[in-house]
Amino acid sequence: MRTEDILAAIAEHKDQLALVMMPGVQYYTGQYFDIKAITKQGHDCGALVGFDLAHAFGNVPLQLHDDGVDFAVWCSYKYLNSGPGAVSGVFVHERHSSNPDLPRFAGWWGHDEAERFQMKKGFVPMEGADAWQLSNVNVIPSAAHLASLEMFSKAGIYNLREKSILLTGYMEYLINELNTGGEVIKIITPSDSGQRGAQLSLCLSSGGKEVFIQLGKNGIVADWREPNVIRVAAVPMYNSFEEVWLFADQLKRLVRN
């Protein structure tokens, strides 16, 4: 999807738009969208702009505040490594933080703590970010989440991004080597490193599901998406260049067979 086409669609429908809602990284193709440009276009057309960052958070650097995003949501069990059922994340721009009349999913943990246990009718939000909490935190998964966030803080998201670009570029190079005699594997993720994260989505001309199954039997953890896509993510936090080579070598053997 071209950025200019997205911006044109927003402009075309501006008289009907109340909200622009998009993924930061598209789950199927792995495309990383231009959050700043989309947000600006939405605001210029009078709409609020929000993003689903399930496949972006922990994958690519984000500047939600500086980009002017109104709100965003994400889970923590993908690139943040925190496990199923772990705490979700919500970003709300500070320009909305003190507006008690803004429609929201109101949870009792976001209610004014001075009145919370009085169980009165109506919702009186806390000031700032606390107003957006829905419930008290699940302690055990949050311990894993905290450990993961400490690793991200130590490694640095921009260092991880630099390695991610190199890893994914190396994987793309090795896969393209398999196509020297004709396109056997089509990469539907954009080739521009600025428009993708750690994921490459591969379409095989035939036998894709069987190749995916055999990869798993050989210790390669990938992901199948109907009808014909294998999603592969070389995650910079814990994947190496050697592992990328081993994946490509296994893929080459399976494709040739």
Side-chain angles (χ1 to χ4, degrees), residues 3-21 36-49 68 70 95:
T3 300
E4 55 264 39
D5 293 336
I6 297 170
L7 302 184
I10 294 172
E12 179 184 355
H13 299 284
K14 64 180 180 179
D15 294 334
Q16 299 170 294
L17 278 181
L19 171 67
V20 175
M21 181 73 184
K36 184 175 183 178
I38 292 169
T39 300
K40 182 180 185 303
Q41 183 76 324
H43 288 167
D44 288 347
C45 293
L48 294 173
V49 183
D70 290 293
R95 63 175 169 268

Side-chain angles (χ1 to χ4, degrees), residues 63-111:
Q63 300 87 28
L64 302 177
H65 177 87
D66 292 345
D67 288 348
V69 175
D70 290 293
F71 70 92
V73 294
W74 59 92
C75 56
S76 60
Y77 67 83
K78 292 187 173 74
Y79 290 96
L80 292 181
N81 311 309
S82 302
V87 65
S88 66
V90 179
F91 166 83
V92 179
H93 199 283
E94 66 179 8
R95 63 175 169 268
H96 302 304
S97 64
S98 298
N99 180 4
D101 299 322
L102 192 67
R104 69 182 82 197
F105 288 117
W108 82 294
W109 212 246
H111 191 97

Side-chain angles (χ1 to χ4, degrees), residues 162-240:
E162 182 178 358
K163 182 185 175 186
S164 176
I165 289 172
L166 294 173
L167 277 173
T168 311
Y170 182 46
M171 182 162 58
E172 179 185 36
Y173 167 77
L174 293 174
I175 291 170
N176 283 334
E177 279 194 326
L178 301 178
N179 291 328
T180 53
E183 188 175 69
V184 177
I185 301 173
K186 181 179 181 180
I187 301 174
I188 62 172
T189 309
S191 59
D192 175 12
S193 63
Q195 295 186 64
R196 67 187 186 198
Q199 170 187 332
L200 291 183
S201 295
L202 315 180
C203 283
L204 275 68
S205 54
S206 63
K209 187 64 175 287
E210 181 60 28
V211 168
F212 167 73
I213 292 170
Q214 292 301 320
L215 284 171
K217 290 180 178 180
N218 288 315
I220 305 294
V221 181
D223 182 72
W224 176 258
R225 283 291 176 264
E226 296 290 350
N228 61 345
V229 165
I230 300 174
R231 299 189 308 180
V232 186
V235 181
M237 179 71 80
Y238 48 78
N239 283 140
S240 67

Side-chain angles (χ1 to χ4, degrees), residues 91-168:
F91 166 83
V92 179
H93 199 283
E94 66 179 8
R95 63 175 169 268
H96 302 304
S97 64
S98 298
N99 180 4
D101 299 322
L102 192 67
R104 69 182 82 197
F105 288 117
W108 82 294
W109 212 246
H111 191 97
D112 180 7
E113 63 182 350
E115 303 179 5
R116 187 178 297 157
F117 286 95
Q118 296 176 15
M119 304 300 181
K120 295 179 180 179
K121 290 184 178 181
F123 179 73
V124 181
M126 295 277 287
E127 286 291 322
D130 287 342
W132 302 91
Q133 295 183 103
L134 295 182
S135 66
N136 51 320
V137 174
N138 189 329
V139 176
I140 300 302
S142 293
H145 187 47
L146 177 60
S148 176
L149 292 178
E150 288 172 346
M151 291 173 65
F152 272 93
S153 180
K154 185 175 181 179
I157 189 63
Y158 290 98
N159 293 327
L160 292 169
R161 174 63 171 162
E162 182 178 358
K163 182 185 175 186
S164 176
I165 289 172
L166 294 173
L167 277 173
T168 311

